Amino acid sequence: MNDTAQLMYSPERHAILSPSGSFRLTPMTCSLGAELFDVNLGDVSRDDALFAELRELLLEYKVLFFRDQDMSRAEHVALAERFGPLEDHPVAGSDPEHPGLVRIYKDLDSPAEHYENAFHCDATWRANPPMGCVLRAVETPPVGGDTIWVNMALAYEKLPDRVKEQIGGLRARHSIEASFGAAQTLEQRHALHDRFPDAEHPVVRTHPDTGEKILFVNSFATHFVNYHTPDNIRYGIDYAPGSSNLLNYLISQASIPEYQVRWRWTPNSVAIWDNRSTQHYAVQDYWPAVRKMERAGIVGDRPF
């Protein structure tokens, strides 16, 4: 090996020990994310102490990454169920033998769709959005198909004080009808809305475990529901387009690279993320290659 090769950075070589010494990990960026090494997630799904430490690391780093996890679908589900019950997806569906395990398979026969390649927090159109997700790569492109995650607690922290004051009491509407339903027929869209009426959430939510304040609007958010007050409105233009301009500004914070981490998938790699404090973006730059993922979403609580 030449000197240049020896100087190349190796995340595994620079790993540190977790507080109990059970895991070796390397932080991915200054903002969020850590890659863990020498971990068998199937074992973690069966071990109370290992899972408890994994959960604490998730709260600290917000998204955890693993490679070479040749685990079964049953182990995948068992690991996710450690966090809580799993939820189905009304559009994507789930594996018939493993309810809650959603197959996100993209190949040359897949319909053209563009739901994942926007910064979003999963299923905020639910009254109780998911607490988090466990996503495993089954088949990956030779290049491309990365996923980006964003620290939305940091995005809130870095907002100007005047904006924090303005949005402190605001609430926003989140809609599956205006996102997944927008590509459906009128009848299908209305039926979807009947099953999943728009949800209303605080623009700034509080993390139930860490107490962090989190900017909680994304591409599922359609409008503020309580913006029209004497403090905000002098003339109609302050509401339209004034409120939508503010919403778009807040949604755009997820696109700031300093708040992000980007992960290159390989077969049997896994990401576990806290859906309450992050957003993510699945980059669709790999056509005509194939990308097959399996995701277990964990039922969450009502944002406050």
Side-chain angles (χ1 to χ4, degrees):
M1 182 179 295
N2 59 39
D3 292 341
T4 302
Q6 291 177 337
L7 291 173
M8 290 178 63
Y9 176 73
S10 167
E12 186 169 0
R13 192 170 69 242
H14 289 78
I16 60 176
L17 288 177
S18 62
S20 73
S22 300
F23 299 110
R24 292 194 309 124
L25 61 104
T26 300
M28 296 281 290
T29 73
C30 296
S31 300
L32 79 165
E35 183 175 0
L36 278 69
F37 304 98
D38 303 327
V39 178
N40 184 314
L41 289 175
D43 292 341
V44 175
S45 72
R46 296 180 286 269
D47 188 298
D48 291 344
L50 287 177
F51 174 76
E53 185 168 3
L54 186 80
R55 186 180 182 279
E56 289 303 310
L57 291 173
L58 181 62
L59 292 176
E60 179 178 356
Y61 290 101
K62 297 180 170 55
V63 55
L64 304 177
F65 301 105
F66 311 82
R67 296 204 185 274
D68 303 320
Q69 298 297 315
D70 188 16
M71 59 182 179
S72 67
R73 285 175 175 157
E75 288 176 320
H76 186 166
V77 168
L79 175 65
E81 285 181 332
R82 278 280 190 165
F83 292 97
L86 304 189
E87 62 178 28
D88 203 348
H89 194 286
V91 176
S94 63
D95 182 85
E97 296 180 3
H98 301 90
L101 190 66
V102 177
R103 296 184 184 182
I104 308 172
Y105 287 9
K106 300 292 177 65
D107 55 36
L108 298 185
D109 297 322
S110 299
E113 59 182 40
H114 301 283
Y115 299 121
E116 296 179 285
N117 57 339
F119 286 108
H120 65 285
C121 176
D122 280 335
T124 55
W125 38 264
R126 294 187 188 273
N128 290 30
M131 165 264 155
C133 292
V134 181
L135 180 65
R136 183 174 71 93
V138 177
E139 184 175 348
T140 60
V143 65
D146 299 353
T147 301
I148 301 167
W149 279 266
V150 192
N151 182 342
M152 297 310 294
L154 183 60
Y156 173 77
E157 178 187 330
K158 295 295 187 180
L159 285 173
D161 288 341
R162 58 179 174 77
V163 176
K164 290 180 182 177
E165 182 177 353
Q166 185 177 16
I167 67 176
L170 287 181
R171 300 180 66 81
R173 191 69 53 85
H174 296 243
S175 174
I176 190 174
E177 179 192 11
S179 49
F180 286 94
Q184 298 180 345
T185 66
L186 180 65
E187 293 75 15
Q188 290 172 327
R189 181 163 54 81
H190 287 178
L192 189 63
H193 181 269
D194 289 342
R195 288 178 60 201
F196 299 96
D198 292 351
E200 183 181 310
H201 301 305
V203 170
V204 181
R205 74 171 293 178
T206 302
H207 196 289
D209 295 314
T210 67
E212 293 173 296
K213 297 295 184 183
I214 298 157
L215 183 59
F216 200 64
V217 289
N218 64 85
S219 56
F220 290 122
T222 58
H223 62 282
F224 300 125
V225 296
N226 62 335
Y227 187 85
H228 207 294
T229 64
D231 288 337
N232 289 330
I233 306 298
R234 305 161 304 150
Y235 306 102
I237 197 172
D238 288 341
Y239 180 74
S243 64
S244 58
N245 287 342
L246 175 59
L247 178 59
N248 288 332
Y249 166 74
L250 296 175
I251 291 174
S252 74
Q253 299 305 297
S255 65
I256 296 175
E258 284 80 358
Y259 307 158
Q260 300 175 356
V261 63
R262 184 166 179 146
W263 176 248
R264 171 61 54 86
W265 293 100
T266 52
N268 287 325
S269 55
V270 171
I272 305 174
W273 71 90
D274 190 329
N275 196 57
R276 301 163 295 188
S277 57
T278 64
Q279 291 186 34
H280 57 282
Y281 183 119
V283 183
Q284 294 188 18
D285 60 350
Y286 51 87
W287 195 92
V290 172
R291 184 177 183 268
K292 295 183 178 181
M293 316 291 285
E294 294 182 353
R295 185 189 72 198
I298 302 129
V299 174
D301 57 349
R302 186 178 294 270
F304 62 90

